[in-house]
Amino acid sequence: MTTPRRLALALPALALPAIARAQQARPIRIVVPFAAGGAADSATRSITPRLGERLNTTIVVENRTGAGGSVGGAEVARSTPDGTTLLMDASSHIVNPSLLRGLPFDYATAFTPISLVCTFPQVLAVKADLPARNLAEFIALARRQPLNIGTQGNATAGHLGLAQLNRAAGIETTHVPYRGGADAARDLAAGTLDGCFITMLSAGPIVDSGRARFIAVSAAQRVPLRPDIPTFAELGTPGIEISEWAALFAPAGTPAAPIAAVHAALVATLAEQPVQARLAQLAAVPVGSSPEDFARFVTQGRASMAELVRVANIRIE
């Protein structure tokens, strides 16, 4: 699955005010289907001040958590498609169709993709007193005793990364899904979890405070923000490369004008150095893809994740 290329601003800056005027004057509500403080939520709050200014409106961020992001997804799917309600979803958007039954909407038809906003590599972190200082010791420990590993929720990148690790290393850890990475990190800090497979954003503060430690990052290369964390491939377990992402969707049927306005303002916002600096502090890589590229990314990703779910025999606990 190829990440859509980052775009230069497709429209001149002087065109943005005119486009923004096409957007309705009412506030825009961006629903984040995960807990406050997690990756998708933090990315949303990093861009919304400038995004709102460019669109000449107020943007309200609303967290609607539960069921791997599908509770918030359902909220947006049933909203009026007028450009005033958007969804900032994560990778569970392309995994939920393969894992969740009885959804009140169809992910493939309920939304119009706007843009991939940014990506987040996942990390394996363990509690401070776990007797495993590296990946080899973690795997050996998992073969001797049960380990409870938290993620930011069912069907998220952390869940899939943990499934990849279990399969690649021949171990069986217990998946403990939360409503967001911040919630999982709190329990890891308290010592009630053995480890977490979450974003650097969620795990970083408790690692820095000495209550947990990093084991490996699920990226092809080390991440510049935390170059001390080795990749799984470096540690002898290749094939574990999965990132969380944050992306904007509108309800299906939303007119082209508000989608174009939001997209143009988003790409311009992501090009600003202060916004990029804020995202870098989250270990996030800004993207800003075209709606067409992002739609292909979603379609291809849904197919590849369905195959991963099948081959790895992933189930909702």
Side-chain angles (χ1 to χ4, degrees):
M1 183 171 60
T2 303
T3 301
R5 65 183 182 278
R6 183 179 175 184
L7 298 183
L9 179 58
L11 296 166
L14 292 176
L16 285 173
I19 295 175
R21 284 195 294 271
Q23 180 71 25
Q24 296 185 18
R26 287 178 292 166
I28 294 175
R29 178 177 61 136
I30 297 183
V31 175
V32 178
F34 305 101
D41 177 74
S42 296
T44 304
R45 296 177 192 277
S46 293
I47 67 170
T48 47
R50 287 294 293 140
L51 185 63
E53 289 175 9
R54 287 185 173 277
L55 291 169
N56 194 30
T57 190
T58 301
I59 296 180
V60 178
V61 179
E62 180 179 321
N63 298 90
R64 289 289 187 97
T65 65
S70 64
V71 170
E75 172 71 15
V76 175
R78 62 174 173 259
S79 67
T80 303
D82 58 5
T84 63
T85 300
L86 304 174
L87 175 69
M88 183 71 87
D89 213 348
S91 61
S92 55
H93 190 97
I94 59 176
V95 184
N96 281 344
S98 299
L99 285 178
L100 303 183
R101 300 292 178 261
L103 288 168
F105 62 94
D106 183 351
Y107 273 96
T109 60
F111 306 102
T112 298
I114 299 177
S115 180
L116 183 61
V117 175
C118 58
T119 60
F120 303 86
Q122 303 291 289
V123 292
L124 174 63
V126 299
K127 63 181 181 179
D129 61 353
L130 192 76
R133 307 296 303 183
N134 54 49
L135 183 60
E137 292 179 359
F138 175 87
I139 292 172
L141 184 63
R143 288 173 177 161
R144 296 195 305 269
Q145 67 183 60
L147 296 178
N148 295 319
I149 310 298
T151 74
Q152 59 266 57
N154 284 315
T156 60
H159 183 189
L160 295 173
L162 180 61
Q164 287 181 330
L165 174 60
N166 286 343
R167 186 165 179 262
I171 57 178
E172 292 186 12
T173 60
T174 298
H175 175 222
V176 184
Y178 284 78
R179 290 178 177 266
D183 294 341
R186 279 192 289 270
D187 276 2
L188 179 61
T192 57
L193 285 173
D194 297 305
C196 282
F197 213 121
I198 52 180
T199 64
M200 287 184 187
L201 167 68
S202 296
I206 63 171
V207 170
D208 292 340
S209 67
R211 293 174 291 172
R213 59 179 176 272
F214 289 123
I215 296 293
V217 60
S218 63
Q221 299 175 335
R222 296 195 183 200
V223 178
L225 182 66
R226 306 297 297 239
D228 56 313
I229 311 174
T231 67
F232 282 97
E234 284 182 74
L235 299 175
T237 308
I240 303 174
E241 297 178 14
I242 190 162
S243 291
E244 189 58 86
W245 44 260
L248 270 180
F249 297 83
T254 301
I259 288 178
V262 171
H263 178 263
L266 174 64
V267 173
T269 296
L270 290 173
E272 295 182 8
Q273 186 58 41
V275 173
Q276 292 182 359
R278 286 197 294 272
L279 290 173
Q281 290 302 309
L282 306 179
V285 180
V287 181
S289 54
S290 71
E292 296 77 17
D293 280 351
F294 183 46
R296 283 190 289 271
F297 172 80
V298 170
T299 299
Q300 294 168 1
R302 190 178 293 121
S304 64
M305 289 299 101
E307 179 65 8
L308 174 60
V309 167
R310 185 189 66 80
V311 171
N313 195 31
I314 300 173
R315 296 288 184 270
I316 296 295
E317 288 85 353

